[in-house]
Amino acid sequence: MSVAAWNRFLQEQDNWPAASQVNDSASYGTQARNALAGRTFEKKKRMSQEERHLQILQAAVKTLATKGFWGMSLQDIADEIGITEAALYHYISSKDDLLNMVLSECYDTPDADEYNAVTAAVTDNDGHRVYFYPRYCLNIALYNLQRPELVQLYSVLNGEALSPTHPAHNFFIGRHMRNWEMICSMNWILPTGVDEERFYDLYTLAMSAMDGLQYRWLGDDSMNLLEEWMSISDIIFPPSEWAGFTDPSEYDPAPDRCLLPFTLSARQ
């Protein structure tokens, strides 16, 4: 069973966007989650450069998440925000340029990295800041529950980008190792038997499981992503091995409690 501190997140469902909440679809059969429910884009005649840039990004996310890159046209974006396609070229140079803007500014962002890391960390009495990987993974699920439209965007583009001719092919093919490089830069507290090779395998397994669950979640609006992740987490990080290494709430702040010897970097 996952650590008790995680149970409170299951009680906070009312704070998630409506598209992330669980619907009882037993009476009418499984339905796909409407990840773009409630997305509206204010059409203003006069906007600052920054406001128009954000509006274009929002419209691109909505359109790409439903039509994909191949199905999207720049006319779709112009229609969404109420300007001409010719006017749109004042802000972007091409369809590929718009896709690159979305990928670089909307999904893997510093805000996302900070959200995932900040509550997965603790500083011991010797000033060592360490991170708990199972909680970090839980935070990814919690963060994505707050942005279902971007989860759908990621899922659609990730499938499309399997083709080497897709302009986002290199982005998605290289994403796993780029994120691993970031993971390697953090000071993780891990059970004794987890060396760097095994940690990489756990990282690969956890992220693959997360992607798979999110695909199912998008396709079934009666599925609770958080509950499913907690169940999977207990298998990936069995309590018999990971007790004390799962969540910062398990840290005992005794005066002589130094966590540095339990970190991967100290063992290498």
Side-chain angles (χ1 to χ4, degrees):
M1 194 70 181
S2 300
V3 294
W6 292 7
N7 292 329
R8 67 183 176 89
F9 297 120
L10 295 173
Q11 310 305 318
E12 297 175 359
Q13 183 168 296
D14 291 343
N15 296 326
W16 303 341
S20 287
Q21 295 177 21
V22 174
N23 294 313
D24 182 7
S25 53
S27 60
Y28 51 83
T30 298
Q31 294 189 5
R33 188 173 301 278
N34 185 1
L36 296 167
R39 293 290 294 184
T40 58
F41 305 99
E42 188 177 357
K43 299 179 175 70
K44 296 180 181 178
K45 291 185 178 180
R46 292 189 177 183
M47 286 184 162
S48 69
Q49 188 83 7
E50 293 77 14
E51 288 173 329
R52 184 66 81 184
H53 180 83
L54 178 59
Q55 190 189 43
I56 290 170
L57 282 177
Q58 290 174 330
V61 167
K62 178 180 178 180
T63 306
L64 284 166
T66 54
K67 294 187 175 184
F69 178 79
W70 299 127
M72 178 195 76
S73 70
L74 291 183
Q75 186 63 57
D76 292 329
I77 308 301
D79 291 343
E80 182 68 33
I81 62 178
I83 63 175
T84 66
E85 183 175 351
L88 186 60
Y89 280 104
H90 289 292
Y91 305 96
I92 61 170
S93 61
S94 66
K95 187 176 172 181
D96 284 13
D97 180 41
L98 180 60
L99 176 64
N100 290 331
M101 283 168 51
V102 169
L103 292 175
S104 63
E105 298 182 38
C106 293
Y107 200 80
D108 292 327
T109 64
D111 285 346
D113 294 339
E114 181 179 4
Y115 182 95
N116 297 336
V118 66
T119 55
V122 70
T123 302
D124 67 17
N125 288 313
D126 292 329
H128 303 121
R129 187 165 181 81
V130 300
Y131 296 87
F132 293 73
Y133 189 64
R135 174 58 187 273
Y136 180 88
C137 293
L138 178 77
N139 286 349
I140 294 175
L142 289 170
Y143 192 67
N144 285 345
L145 282 166
Q146 301 173 38
R147 52 177 196 166
E149 73 284 354
L150 284 170
V151 176
Q152 181 169 321
L153 169 83
Y154 169 85
S155 300
V156 169
L157 291 179
N158 192 24
E160 275 192 341
L162 291 174
S163 168
T165 62
H166 195 283
H169 178 73
N170 290 336
F171 174 89
F172 283 98
I173 293 299
R175 184 173 180 270
H176 185 73
M177 291 309 298
R178 287 197 309 274
N179 287 346
W180 172 243
E181 290 177 2
M182 181 186 68
I183 292 294
C184 287
S185 71
M186 301 168 69
N187 202 21
W188 300 100
I189 176 173
L190 300 170
T192 305
V194 180
D195 57 14
E196 183 173 351
E197 182 177 358
R198 186 167 174 225
F199 187 34
Y200 174 77
D201 290 341
L202 285 168
Y203 156 76
T204 300
L205 176 61
M207 295 303 98
S208 299
M210 184 75 72
D211 286 348
L213 286 179
Q214 288 179 163
Y215 273 110
R216 284 185 50 218
W217 177 68
L218 289 170
D220 182 357
D221 68 354
S222 68
M223 176 181 163
N224 189 311
L225 178 63
L226 194 57
E227 284 186 347
E228 292 282 349
W229 176 255
M230 287 184 181
S231 295
I232 292 292
S233 185
D234 280 344
I235 297 173
I236 299 174
F237 311 108
S240 59
E241 181 182 12
W242 284 81
F245 298 91
T246 304
D247 187 88
S249 64
E250 298 177 319
Y251 171 59
D252 175 15
D256 59 347
R257 178 69 165 161
C258 177
L259 295 177
L260 187 61
F262 299 99
T263 60
L264 181 61
S265 57
R267 297 202 297 263
Q268 290 178 325

